Amino acid sequence: MNSAWTYRKSFRKGKTYIIATVGAVVIFVLLGGRGAQQGYEIAVQQEQVAEEEETIPYAAYFKEYAPIVGWDWELLAAVGYAESRFRPTAQSQYGASGVMQLMPKTAAKYGLNDSTVFEPRDNIEAGAQCLATLNHQFRYVRDSVERTKFVLAAYNAGTAHILDARALARKYEANPNRWEEVEPFLALLSDSVYYTDSVVRYGAFQGGETMRYVGKVQNTYRRIKQGRFMLN
């Protein structure tokens, strides 16, 4: 552990104390002494959760499997963070499982079963393989930075709706290979005027979550590159 990280960790502990103390004072004013103690405990818990979320517990696996996609390992890790906060036991209401939140059919496609899907190493490897497949599917987007955005969107929403948004972009003379020009058409897929268009093959779609997802992963990637996550 280097001295710079030691300093940052000490600073975070100090910040935790300050935030907790301020929270306690505010609740003391509102609820009295007992409320102040409760406020302090809640604030400390919130800061502890935030600090846990800034730890990458499986960095070695992200580093091992990122070359499958041809990405920086930090970007692969950013996907894991966005999907599950790196929790290997995470399960969504839609059936996605593990660190990379793989749907059952996707997990099976890459060799996982009901048990191995919850193994961090196996799940991260399969997630990287899935992303590599998507990266190949969008190979016609020559700019690698732009292609990454399409890959992230497809990982979140599936390829079909991204292709529909590209088709609309092309029809309305926007650049179908530039995410910022395709993104508005993904949002328009919730409007019947657009999802019933003859170039749209896969119907209505609420694109807001996917648009936020792409931005979230990119922001987390930058934060990891800046050293704002601790490796475990």
Side-chain angles (χ1 to χ4, degrees), residues 211-224:
M211 293 158 62
R212 289 189 294 272
Y213 178 85
V214 173
K216 179 179 181 180
V217 172
Q218 291 182 304
N219 182 57
T220 301
Y221 171 48
R222 287 190 291 269
R223 291 173 60 211
I224 296 174

Side-chain angles (χ1 to χ4, degrees), residues 4-26:
W5 174 250
T6 302
Y7 173 80
R8 289 200 301 270
K9 188 172 182 182
S10 298
F11 175 78
R12 283 177 180 162
K13 288 181 179 178
K15 185 176 70 173
T16 299
Y17 174 79
I18 293 169
I19 292 173
T21 302
V22 170
V25 170
V26 170

Side-chain angles (χ1 to χ4, degrees), residues 8 56 71-78 217-229 231:
R8 289 200 301 270
I56 304 176
W71 283 1
D72 290 346
W73 75 267
E74 294 95 338
L75 182 54
L76 183 60
V217 172
Q218 291 182 304
N219 182 57
T220 301
Y221 171 48
R222 287 190 291 269
R223 291 173 60 211
I224 296 174
K225 293 286 281 186
Q226 291 166 359
R228 295 175 62 184
F229 281 70
L231 305 188

Side-chain angles (χ1 to χ4, degrees), residues 164 167-168 171-172 192-202:
D164 278 345
L168 283 170
K171 177 175 180 175
Y172 289 96
S192 62
V193 172
Y194 294 94
Y195 69 70
T196 60
D197 191 293
S198 60
V199 303
V200 173
R201 299 178 57 189
Y202 301 101

Side-chain angles (χ1 to χ4, degrees), residues 11-137:
F11 175 78
R12 283 177 180 162
K13 288 181 179 178
K15 185 176 70 173
T16 299
Y17 174 79
I18 293 169
I19 292 173
T21 302
V22 170
V25 170
V26 170
I27 297 179
F28 179 86
V29 172
L30 296 175
L31 300 177
R34 186 174 61 181
Q37 179 61 31
Q38 292 173 346
Y40 178 83
E41 292 171 357
I42 291 170
V44 168
Q45 290 170 2
Q46 289 174 339
E47 282 297 299
Q48 287 173 342
V49 168
E51 186 166 328
E52 288 172 4
E53 290 178 350
E54 292 182 350
T55 299
I56 304 176
Y58 306 113
Y61 301 152
F62 291 117
K63 291 178 181 179
E64 181 176 358
Y65 297 118
I68 293 176
V69 198
W71 283 1
D72 290 346
W73 75 267
E74 294 95 338
L75 182 54
L76 183 60
V79 175
Y81 180 86
E83 291 291 338
S84 69
R85 297 294 195 275
F86 305 126
R87 291 182 295 121
T89 59
Q91 287 185 288
S92 79
Q93 59 180 326
Y94 304 108
S97 301
V99 173
M100 303 297 285
Q101 287 292 277
L102 303 174
M103 295 296 288
K105 287 184 179 180
T106 303
K109 178 180 179 180
Y110 295 106
L112 303 186
N113 56 39
D114 291 344
S115 176
T116 56
V117 73
F118 294 108
E119 293 293 332
R121 183 171 195 157
D122 296 333
N123 191 281
I124 292 169
E125 180 182 12
Q129 290 172 340
C130 178
L131 287 162
T133 298
L134 294 171
N135 200 46
H136 180 72
Q137 289 176 354

